[in-house]
């Protein structure tokens, strides 16, 4: 279903299509239509300001003519927004994560490889995960030695000088392709946008380069550095971690959960957020900063800058370009 090209400003049922679209969950069409409504409201305010700046005293001026003039301006604003508009709707659409929702379904349906490619970087023992929660149950943190935004490879420098080129730091797109289908499943279970969880996994593992590995070098698939508490009966990976307490960093050995696949890791992550009361405020978050702050306030990580780091990755160009494919 699509929103009609022209919406009648005085039609009480004009927003019926938008309401029906919104019932479909994370619908890009509903999000784009809503963005156009915001642009129409903005244009209507602009037209009103322009009208107010012009003297209106005249023989035909009355409350009735001003009423009909306002209705005409409202309709004009809606027509402008439904057309090419000013570009404001497109900006709002992108800021609300619309581009991620429009990621082709075919890309999301493709089965990722059971084991990610073993590169020279991944074969090396990963740096110790930093900022894992000290409560020993479920939280985790970003890898201390892996930057949130990967450095561009040498060939990217030339591409960045070309306005038409879209360079992605090495490994970011491959990482997103591997985890995106599973993020979509976790998104349906938690109400959290899939690209938010991809961003958190990128923060925790340095875009997959610092994923925890078992003693024999095989991957743990623990993208979120979830700790193995007393109730965990599965395999574990034990590594030293950096924690923070009272503003001071310290190191301790910690046990982390190990999974058989990325799908299992995302399911466990979704179950953790859904079944633990401490993460109730995280579920359904569609605002990037709100999602990041809710995780930090719930004690997911002890790093005082965790929310800021996560928010920057969600809104960063690396994730945006990798999602675009």
């Amino acid at each position: 279903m699509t929103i009609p090209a022209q919406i009648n400003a005085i039609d009480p049922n004009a927003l019926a299509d938008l309401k029906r679209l919104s019932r479909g969950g994370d619908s890009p069409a509903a999000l784009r239509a809503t963005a156009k409504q915001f642009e129409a409201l903005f244009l209507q305010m602009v037209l009103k300001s322009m009208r107010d700046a012009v003297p209106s005293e005249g023989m035909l001026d009355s409350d009735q003519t001003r009423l009909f003039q306002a209705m005409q301006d409202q309709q004009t604003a809606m027509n402008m927004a439904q057309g090419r508009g000013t570009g404001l709707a497109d900006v709002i659409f992108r800021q609300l994560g619309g581009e991620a929702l429009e990621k082709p379904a075919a890309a999301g349906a493709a089965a990722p490889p059971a084991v990610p490619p073993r590169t020279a970087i991944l074969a090396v023992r990963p740096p110790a995960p930093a900022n894992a929660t000290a409560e020993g149950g479920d939280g985790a943190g970003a890898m201390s030695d892996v930057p949130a935004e990967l450095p561009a490879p040498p060939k990217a420098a030339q591409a960045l000088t070309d306005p038409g080129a879209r360079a992605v730091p090495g490994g970011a797109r491959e990482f997103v392709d591997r985890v995106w289908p599973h993020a979509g499943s976790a998104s349906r279970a938690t109400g959290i946008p899939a690209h938010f969880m991809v961003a958190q996994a990128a923060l925790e593992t340095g875009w997959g380069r610092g994923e925890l590995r078992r003693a024999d070098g095989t991957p743990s698939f623990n993208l979120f550095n979830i700790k193995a508490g007393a109730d965990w009966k599965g395999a574990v990976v034990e590594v030293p971690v950096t924690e923070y307490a009272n503003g001071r960093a310290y190191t301790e050995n910690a046990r982390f959960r190990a999974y058989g696949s990325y799908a299992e890791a995302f399911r466990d992550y979704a179950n953790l957020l859904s079944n633990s009361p401490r993460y109730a405020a995280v579920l359904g978050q569609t605002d990037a900063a709100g999602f990041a702050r809710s995780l930090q306030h719930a004690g997911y990580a002890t790093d005082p800058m965790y929310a800021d780091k996560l928010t920057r990755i969600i809104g960063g160009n690396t994730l945006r370009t990798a999602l675009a494919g």
Side-chain angles (χ1 to χ4, degrees):
M1 180 185 299
T2 58
I3 297 298
Q6 300 294 331
I7 297 181
N8 192 332
I10 62 174
D11 182 3
N13 297 316
L15 298 180
D17 284 338
L18 179 58
K19 292 179 180 178
R20 284 193 290 271
L21 279 172
S22 65
R23 296 192 188 106
D26 291 336
S27 168
L31 187 59
R32 188 174 292 281
T34 302
K36 287 183 177 292
Q37 291 289 323
F38 275 104
E39 181 174 2
L41 179 61
F42 170 75
L43 291 173
Q44 183 181 349
M45 296 171 61
V46 172
L47 290 174
K48 183 179 184 303
S49 298
M50 294 172 62
R51 294 285 184 192
D52 292 342
V54 177
S56 58
E57 294 181 1
M59 184 174 59
L60 299 179
D61 184 57
S62 66
D63 291 340
Q64 289 76 19
T65 58
R66 285 191 290 272
L67 172 61
F68 282 104
Q69 186 67 71
M71 293 172 61
Q72 179 184 358
D73 290 345
Q74 181 181 4
Q75 184 65 53
T76 299
M78 297 181 76
N79 292 345
M80 292 172 63
Q82 292 302 316
R84 295 186 62 180
T86 64
L88 178 60
D90 292 334
V91 173
I92 295 174
F93 180 75
R94 290 194 298 269
Q95 289 293 326
L96 294 178
E99 288 184 340
L101 295 178
E102 285 186 333
K103 187 177 179 70
V115 179
R118 296 183 63 133
T119 65
I121 296 178
L122 288 177
V124 179
R125 181 179 177 86
N131 315 329
T133 178
E135 298 180 10
D138 38 45
M143 293 298 185
S144 58
D145 297 329
V146 181
E149 294 291 331
L150 301 180
K155 292 184 179 179
Q158 181 177 359
L160 289 175
T161 62
D162 179 5
R166 303 187 70 187
V168 179
R173 179 173 288 133
E174 290 79 4
F175 175 78
V176 171
D177 289 342
R178 286 201 305 269
V179 305
W180 180 261
H182 314 302
S185 299
S187 176
R188 289 188 289 274
T190 61
I192 301 169
H195 66 291
F196 285 12
M197 290 179 280
V198 171
Q200 187 180 4
L203 173 62
E204 294 288 347
T205 66
W207 298 94
R209 297 185 305 173
E211 180 186 332
L212 294 173
R213 288 189 171 274
R214 306 170 194 252
D216 61 0
T218 57
S220 70
F221 298 103
N222 191 341
L223 294 170
F224 300 95
N225 291 339
I226 300 177
K227 281 187 175 180
D231 297 333
W232 176 251
K233 305 303 181 183
V236 299
V237 176
E238 186 169 352
V239 295
V241 298
T242 300
E243 299 282 6
Y244 290 84
N246 300 320
R248 299 176 63 88
Y250 63 95
T251 301
E252 68 175 16
N253 287 329
R255 300 167 71 250
F256 293 86
R257 303 179 185 184
Y259 306 105
S261 66
Y262 289 130
E264 185 180 339
F266 270 94
R267 282 197 301 269
D268 192 42
Y269 173 78
N271 290 335
L272 170 66
L273 298 189
S274 300
N275 298 326
S276 177
R278 62 192 281 192
Y279 295 114
V282 180
L283 298 177
Q285 280 280 357
T286 57
D287 174 72
F291 169 70
R293 286 195 301 268
S294 296
L295 277 174
Q296 183 158 350
H297 290 166
Y300 193 92
T302 60
D303 180 1
M305 298 301 294
Y306 191 83
D308 292 335
K309 294 175 182 177
L310 180 54
T311 303
R312 287 198 300 271
I313 294 179
I314 293 175
N317 185 64
T318 297
L319 179 61
R320 185 183 306 110
T321 308
L323 286 172

